[in-house]
Amino acid sequence: MVTHKQRRTEKGLCFKDYFKWIFYVFNNLKIYVYDLPSKFNTDWLANNRCSNHLFAAEVALHKALLSLEGNVRTEDPYEADFFFVPVYVFTVNGFPAIGHARSLIKEAIGLVSAQYPFWNRTSGSDHVFIATHDFGSCFHTMEDRAIADGVPMILRNSIVLQTFGVTFKHPCQEVENVVIPPYISPESVYKTQKNSPMTKERDIRVFFRGKMEIHPKNISGRFYSKRIRTEIWRSYSSDRRFYLQRQRFAGYQSEIARSVFCLCPLGWAPWSPRLVESVALGCVPVIIADGIRLPFPSAVRWPDISLTVAERDVGKLGEILEHVAATNLSVIQKNLEDPSVKRALMFNVPPREGDATWQVLEALSKKLHRSVRRRSNAFL
């Protein structure tokens, strides 16, 4: 008997058979994608930046789901397990504008609840949203404001796919949620890999390029990165082992591909696109964000491919990395070579086996107890 694994790896496996296999893996998961007016999503894509910046997982996932027509995605809402509500949070200049997120989502929910019966029958518990911003479904860049506002009441029964996640109790994850990676363009990574072969020697020991304030108290009275990035700059800017840069650079990914260790300190929020870029380009991520909850831990064994340094230990960063370099660095680098690990953090259109969309579908397939269809069939 030919196994599913053999079927999908046989030369010449057709597209149709591949999606039959997807059907099997996700326990016959069915998702209905609401066709909302373009002002909720595609109108924002007039600016190309909206499809490519770190918050663009909401765009990529929407496109990926639409490409699954006839398989995971169903055009018949009455056979759906979940309902995806595609709302993008952008401004016309291509930057995220989460100030209007709550009103936009409320308007979208009002629309689908007026036109369809599905929201009202469960108060939205089988509806899926995406929030790819600093503090996820709290929709604010500043943590104190995010905490004060909390998750909108209208969303609290639903499932939210969000980049924000921590291992402790936090108001911005008081909703059923799945932590997803920030968006990094697969095309940009492939281009960097082509131009910077992985066989090339890594000549940068420790790398970070990004905002590092010399005087961290900004105009709002808040301290960026809890002063962590400032401490990194003050402690290591003159250390020859560290290549630290504060200015933007178009060839930033090529620097990652040349580096052994890539620092991934928190910004306003714990997560960072550097996590994905580092893994994709084979640089050991050094995570400096206490209590961060990382995406897809069943597919990505983070302890095997990264280092975690406590925020209080930033002053010891140099000696910590020297110790790793002298002991188990080669093991970590070997683990980073696994293509399935890199794939799990990237959103592709159409989706590929094991990629970030695949991981989202797998996570949803474990929440089928929320599906009205499944509960109804149980009584037949």
Side-chain angles (χ1 to χ4, degrees):
M1 179 178 176
V2 180
T3 67
H4 287 279
K5 184 174 182 180
Q6 289 170 328
R7 282 173 60 94
R8 62 188 166 92
T9 55
E10 280 180 351
K11 186 177 181 180
L13 177 63
C14 71
F15 190 76
K16 183 177 179 181
D17 284 346
Y18 173 72
F19 281 103
K20 282 182 180 177
W21 186 72
I22 288 181
F23 177 91
Y24 170 82
V25 168
F26 300 127
N27 195 18
N28 190 16
L29 173 69
K30 293 288 185 182
I31 298 176
Y32 181 77
V33 179
Y34 284 116
D35 185 15
L36 297 178
S38 60
K39 73 171 188 175
F40 291 100
N41 40 62
T42 55
D43 277 359
W44 304 109
L45 302 184
N47 187 314
N48 188 55
R49 179 182 169 85
C50 295
S51 298
N52 292 292
H53 61 51
L54 72 159
F55 304 111
E58 56 192 3
V59 180
L61 182 63
H62 183 201
K63 290 180 177 179
L65 290 176
L66 290 177
S67 74
L68 293 174
E69 180 182 354
N71 298 282
V72 171
R73 182 169 77 87
T74 178
E75 293 189 343
D76 179 0
Y78 287 93
E79 70 171 18
D81 296 299
F82 295 113
F83 300 82
F84 184 71
V85 188
V87 178
Y88 304 165
V89 184
F90 295 120
T91 60
V92 290
N93 66 6
F95 289 87
I98 54 182
H100 69 266
R102 291 170 182 262
S103 60
L104 200 63
I105 288 171
K106 184 177 180 180
E107 185 180 352
I109 292 172
L111 187 67
V112 300
S113 62
Q115 294 184 356
Y116 300 87
F118 311 109
W119 175 274
N120 294 325
R121 71 184 182 182
T122 65
S123 298
S125 68
D126 51 4
H127 283 56
V128 181
F129 296 81
I130 186 164
T132 59
H133 313 289
D134 294 74
F135 291 96
S137 50
C138 281
F139 299 108
H140 206 285
T141 55
M142 301 291 109
E143 186 170 19
D144 56 346
R145 286 286 305 277
I147 289 173
D149 292 346
V151 178
M153 288 299 299
I154 201 167
L155 279 186
R156 292 193 183 181
N157 282 335
S158 300
I159 300 169
V160 179
L161 313 173
Q162 58 181 38
T163 43
F164 174 75
V166 288
T167 56
F168 50 86
K169 185 177 175 62
H170 195 287
C172 297
Q173 52 188 18
E174 290 181 353
V175 61
E176 185 76 16
N177 66 85
V178 176
V179 176
I180 63 172
Y183 181 78
I184 297 298
S185 163
E187 291 74 23
S188 70
V189 170
Y190 301 149
K191 183 178 179 181
T192 301
Q193 289 171 333
K194 183 178 179 180
N195 295 334
S196 306
M198 295 304 170
T199 52
K200 213 171 183 180
E201 185 179 352
R202 293 178 181 266
D203 59 334
I204 299 174
R205 187 65 157 184
V206 185
F207 173 65
F208 180 80
R209 182 182 287 276
K211 184 175 181 180
M212 290 180 284
E213 296 170 318
I214 298 174
H215 305 291
K217 195 168 186 177
N218 69 11
I219 195 169
S220 69
R222 299 176 175 90
F223 288 87
Y224 186 68
S225 188
K226 298 181 183 177
R227 302 184 177 91
I228 296 301
R229 295 190 187 189
T230 300
E231 179 62 26
I232 290 171
W233 177 258
R234 288 176 176 170
S235 299
Y236 301 107
S237 60
S238 59
D239 189 322
R240 295 181 64 184
R241 298 169 298 177
F242 286 71
Y243 182 64
L244 305 177
Q245 298 294 320
R246 298 170 59 213
Q247 294 78 31
R248 292 181 181 274
F249 173 52
Y252 161 74
Q253 286 189 354
S254 67
E255 295 174 319
I256 294 176
R258 292 170 50 199
S259 302
V260 176
F261 297 106
C262 289
L263 304 184
C264 302
L266 71 162
W268 288 122
W271 62 272
S272 163
R274 294 173 183 84
L275 283 168
V276 178
E277 291 169 310
S278 300
V279 173
L281 295 169
C283 182
V284 177
V286 181
I287 302 166
I288 311 170
D290 291 356
I292 187 173
R293 189 155 58 95
L294 296 163
F296 311 141
S298 62
V300 181
R301 293 182 57 81
W302 289 100
D304 295 345
I305 64 163
S306 66
L307 303 176
T308 299
V309 175
E311 293 169 14
R312 67 176 180 274
D313 291 333
V314 164
K316 305 174 187 175
L317 193 54
E319 59 188 273
I320 290 171
L321 297 183
E322 285 301 321
H323 174 73
V324 172
T327 53
N328 62 331
L329 174 60
S330 60
V331 175
I332 298 171
Q333 290 176 318
K334 183 69 175 175
N335 293 337
L336 268 174
E337 292 175 6
D338 183 350
S340 69
V341 170
K342 305 174 191 293
R343 194 181 310 122
L345 299 176
M346 305 289 287
F347 288 95
N348 297 286
V349 181
R352 298 179 181 177
E353 178 186 348
D355 75 356
T357 298
W358 183 282
Q359 305 303 329
V360 167
L361 296 177
E362 184 170 330
L364 292 176
S365 73
K366 295 175 181 177
K367 300 181 186 297
L368 288 171
H369 58 280
R370 286 175 164 254
S371 166
V372 170
R373 178 171 78 100
R374 301 299 171 120
R375 292 201 300 268
S376 299
N377 288 346
F379 293 101
L380 294 180

